[in-house]
Amino acid sequence: MRKDEMYDTPKKKVALDVNDLNNFVYDMDHCIKCKGCYWVEHTYMPGVNFSTRCPSNLWNDFDSYGAFGKMRIGLALNEGKLQWTDKLLEIIYADPLCGACDVGCKRNLDLEIELTLEALRVKAVKDGAGPMPVHKKIAKNIASKHNQFGSPSDNRKKWLAKDINVAEKADMLYFAGCSASYANPDIAKATAKVLNASGNKFMLMQEEWCCGNTLYSVGMIDDARELAKRNIDAVKASGAKTLVTSCAECYRMWKVDYPKMLNIATADLGFKVLHLIEVADEAIKNGKLKLTKPVDVRFTYHDSCGVSRLSDPWTPWNGERGWMGTVSPALKRRRGTTGLYTQSRNILNAIPGAKFVEMPRIRENAFCCGAGRGTKEAFPDLAKFAANHRLDEVKSVSAEVLVSACPWCKSNFNDAVKENGDNVKIMDISEIILASVEI
Amino acid sequence: MSIQKQAYKALEMVVGSKYISDDPAICEGYRSGPGGYESGLGYERVMTTIPGTVVLPRTTEEVQKIVKICNRYKVAYVPYSTGFYGPRSHCHVENELLIDLKRMNDFEIDEKHFYIVVGSGVVYSPIQQEALNKGAYVVIGGGGAQASAIANLIGDGWSPLSHRIGLPHRRILGTELVLPDGEVVRMGSLAEGSDPFWGDGPGPDLRGLLRGFTGLRGCLGIVTKMAIKTLPFQPEPLVPTGIAPNTALALPPKRVKWVNFQMPSKAAQVKAMFEVGKAEIAGAVTKVPLFWRAIAKAECKEEFWEIWGKETEETIKNFFIVRVLLVGYTSEEQMQYDENVLNDIMTELGGIPRPTKPSDESWIKNADSAGMWLMCGSYVSVDYIIESLSQATQHGEHYADLKRKYTPPLMPDNGDPGWFQSFELGHQGYSEFLVYWDQDEDTTGVDQFYLETAKMNIRERFYTSLLGPHQPLYLTGPKYGPNYHEWLLKVKDAFDPLWVCHPPVPLAHDDFVNRAEWMHPLKDWESPKKLPMPKW
């Protein structure tokens, strides 16, 4: 387009900064209600069953629970036309922020839906309306005990077994996270053993603190930022070149949300952030990790949001929006394309004896388990509903085992399975890898 | 504001408290726009409101009861399936009830008799996949894969695939309609209590009343169930590939194939469509605007403008692509035969084959209407023409000429004459003219252009499918039919004497012109001082 053909569109300053909802007025303004945020991408649409991607809007049918409704609500809030009420808080917080809407929108429109939803929560907290009461309790736990659950800090490394080799000093640091440390120790153990088996020397933090996932996710950005700074400093002080996590939520937090809060690029963290999936995939490829023990099950894989569509690296951006909504300088949109889709499937396909079957909704179209980002604590019904819906999909492909790469997913699915008396076994990817390794 | 308390209570008794709400935050989610089809324009700003109450029925019986309550308490209501069709499918009057039909998502497929039965909440892409699973297919309307099939079929319901599958009125079989007063009409074979396998019924065919050429935007009742004709496809799977946003269906090359031909002129383009139809080959034959190709190529909005910026009036004038979908419906040999015939036609007409990807990004399963918003942020189709191939394809240049006067705010497109294609094996031609703008600009010109196209059609004696509630009735009515507006209003009065069903449609555009000052200079037609409808 020649400059002389462009209309005299006033340029507006804009940044990818969730501290100010005004940065996302354009995005809220330009939602067209195509519901790409709600439906599975049409090319991959499996049929009338499992056709949706949004746990919130499937749980509650009113449009306000879908991203397209929240965009309109966000505008009204921003313009002072809506006041915070219990119902409005429910609409904003009954949502695992799983990113399905974001990648759905970016199929065609490239609107920043995920960031808008995060900014709405930041605004809720700044306005004194949010977060939900149970989130405040979690924040207190994190502040006092450095973990979500309020368990004694001393119990954090209880998962460490005698047959696990932890180095005093190593280039790799394993960050287990709250869930694997306290609620799912088998995942921490399995991860450590897989790292051992693949010849990856690793150390642990002197004093591991919660990553702050819930704090950031519910809009308590100032608290989350302080925690991020502390944690990053701790890693730098350890001399680690790589931080490995076995938790999808921690992975997203370290890789994406820490840089986002600190206005730096993922590449500028000073160390690499990897999930076990990446480490194991690499180790299998270069022959350092051998999966030789047959695992005789039919299993399927759930793409946890934090290791899939939410895991594109972060690059800070600010600039101007002008002609026809175009922005300058160039903005590389995060569309969830660099999720660990291939790596996880490489691993699962390498397990001998096992029959790996895919569910109808996979990769960027996967249906979230509903647990993450403060949802299960504040809206257990929604988390249960989402898990049950996903388990129906597991059963639809006759899988005996559901594998995920996130302890929060595992807990949530396990709770649902126990309550229903289902005979689906829930495993973490670290556990199924370990099951296939001769030790 | 909500609807009357008594009415609310009565509705709550029908659906239960979980499925009705007048909470401001819930109602806000049902606001029309600011983004969307035809959004950000004067019509939306002047004519739409947020609902007073939202209700989500599950069954036809519940819809009936809701509608009867609305009649009893004089509550205006609007049926709503996905909300995708912009302001015209949203509330227009204060304290209106929005009936969200998304829970009406029943689905049945009869593979033996080639039809499916759907509720109002069922969208296209799942239907297409279910049909493909059974060796059949349907048309996904230009409205997109995310459109409610029923809403689309009673409004538009065509795509390039209509070259072979045909127009929607032929594919609407047994249908269930809740009239504006709450009575149910069953059409086609449903009227006799039979399966919905047949579209015609005893007596007059009410499908014409239901949809005309482009529908009544929900002012004549609520279609709750419809049987839709499917047609046999070919047996090979179409495999989804890629990660969003770069996804496509991989096509089995010996059974399904898109082919592009560069033609020497527009006359050759139209002739090619005609000849392909006459030879009764191909599944689709279409010519799309050049900027759609730029949308497909671009990785982002900014890149689109880079690509598009290289085009000139000259390159647009000399862009004569015909895009053909070949389908081996019966066998690989049939596909080969079709291709040979196509090549013969193109050789005769000077068509040069262009490289084409062995995949389908849009039309078979993912009709990608949402991509239309990438360039500017706002879009509307100002006209559709369904005519003979030779006539339908003449309008585009006139639209392009008129459009220059309104550019800006309309997107500069170097006079692109729009989109046209063959329908029903060339027995009909189709032309659609789409316009794009930035909703943050002053959009007065878009409102005015939209109206001026109706006047241009009258002046140039063009047929148009966008009559009825799409333009002021008192402008188009006396000129088409003749006086079709009188008939339309008589039908409305007879079926909806209280005008509770989506008022003030079909007089909404007349009302808009009266209420929007910037439209007054354009009003040069006769209309009653007071529009013949109740005040809300």
Side-chain angles (χ1 to χ4, degrees), chain A residues 255 259 263-270 314-316:
Chain A
K255 186 178 173 184
N263 205 28
I264 58 171
T266 299
D268 297 332
L269 271 171
W314 180 261
T315 307

Side-chain angles (χ1 to χ4, degrees), chain A residues 1 7 9 26 29 33-34 41-45 48 61-64 72 324 327 333 335 363-364, chain B residues 25-26 30-31 33 35 56 80 82 90 102 125 130 146 242 244 247 299 301-302 309 365 410 439 441:
Chain A
M1 186 56 50
Y7 313 147
T9 310
Y26 180 90
D29 235 7
K33 266 194 200 174
C34 70
E41 207 250 297
H42 299 289
T43 307
Y44 280 90
M45 180 60 77
V48 290
D61 287 307
F62 286 108
D63 274 10
S64 295
R72 282 152 182 81
M324 295 293 178
V327 294
R333 272 98 177 168
R335 298 177 177 134
R363 297 193 314 241
E364 74 274 24
Chain B
I26 295 291
Y30 288 90
R31 177 181 292 282
L56 290 98
Y80 174 103
T82 66
H90 286 74
K102 69 161 69 80
S125 61
E130 297 288 349
Q146 74 290 342
T247 59
E299 270 296 308
K301 188 193 273 263
E302 292 75 22
K365 190 174 162 193
L410 295 174
Q439 68 193 45
E441 301 280 340

Side-chain angles (χ1 to χ4, degrees), chain A residues 125-181:
Chain A
V125 172
K126 283 188 174 159
D127 289 353
M132 304 303 284
V134 70
H135 297 147
K136 291 174 183 166
K137 193 167 175 279
I138 291 168
K140 267 190 190 156
N141 289 342
I142 294 170
S144 60
K145 305 277 183 9
H146 312 308
N147 68 78
Q148 290 233 144
F149 310 109
S151 301
S153 303
D154 295 350
N155 293 348
R156 197 165 188 107
K157 287 183 185 166
K158 265 193 166 177
W159 59 268
L160 259 177
K162 284 196 178 84
D163 55 351
I164 293 170
N165 298 319
V166 180
E168 272 300 306
K169 200 84 180 141
D171 286 345
M172 185 179 278
L173 184 149
Y174 172 44
F175 183 88
C178 299
S179 183
S181 298

Side-chain angles (χ1 to χ4, degrees), chain A residues 1-2 5-10 12 26 28-36 38-49 51 57 59-65 68-70 72-73 75-76 81-82 85 87-88 91 103 106-110 321-328 330-331 333 335-337 341-342 363-364, chain B residues 18-21 23-26 28-36 54 56 80-84 90 100 102-103 107 121 123 125-126 129-130 133 145-146 240-245 247-249 299-302 305 308-309 361 365-366 368 370-371 373-377 407-412 414 437-441:
Chain A
M1 186 56 50
R2 293 198 322 265
E5 286 179 310
M6 291 188 179
Y7 313 147
D8 188 18
T9 310
K12 284 182 188 158
Y26 180 90
M28 295 187 284
D29 235 7
H30 284 73
C31 162
I32 64 171
K33 266 194 200 174
C34 70
K35 301 189 182 175
Y38 176 75
W39 300 110
V40 167
E41 207 250 297
H42 299 289
T43 307
Y44 280 90
M45 180 60 77
V48 290
N49 293 321
S51 59
N57 204 188
W59 175 68
N60 190 309
D61 287 307
F62 286 108
D63 274 10
S64 295
Y65 289 81
F68 48 97
K70 288 169 194 165
R72 282 152 182 81
I73 285 168
L75 278 176
K81 289 179 186 165
L82 267 186
T85 59
K87 176 53 81 176
L88 183 46
I91 288 165
V103 293
K106 284 172 177 159
R107 172 66 174 74
N108 287 301
L109 297 177
D110 265 342
R321 193 185 293 282
W323 162 263
M324 295 293 178
T326 53
V327 294
S328 59
L331 166 62
R333 272 98 177 168
R335 298 177 177 134
T337 51
Y341 309 121
T342 314
R363 297 193 314 241
E364 74 274 24
Chain B
K18 189 181 171 187
Y19 295 113
I20 182 166
S21 178
D23 185 279
I26 295 291
E28 189 65 46
Y30 288 90
R31 177 181 292 282
S32 171
V54 180
L56 290 98
Y80 174 103
S81 52
T82 66
F84 181 62
H90 286 74
D100 183 347
K102 69 161 69 80
R103 291 178 64 230
F107 175 89
V123 303
S125 61
Q129 188 55 53
E130 297 288 349
N133 292 346
Q146 74 290 342
T241 56
I243 290 174
T247 59
L249 289 176
E299 270 296 308
C300 60
K301 188 193 273 263
E302 292 75 22
W305 285 108
W308 185 243
E361 282 78 31
K365 190 174 162 193
N366 172 44
D368 223 350
W373 278 265
L374 176 81
M375 306 172 290
C376 307
T407 307
L410 295 174
M411 165 187 154
N414 299 315
W437 68 96
D438 178 348
Q439 68 193 45
D440 293 335
E441 301 280 340

Side-chain angles (χ1 to χ4, degrees), chain B residues 25 28 49 69 103 111 129 167 195 220 223 252 260 304 314 324 329 348 389 485 493 500 522 535:
Chain B
E28 189 65 46
T49 63
I69 290 165
R103 291 178 64 230
E111 61 181 302
Q129 188 55 53
L167 287 168
D195 292 341
L220 211 59
V223 179
N260 292 339
F304 165 82
E314 212 46 42
V324 182
Y329 290 98
E348 238 171 74
L389 255 173
H485 62 305
D493 284 331
V500 282
L522 275 65
K535 259 263 171 266

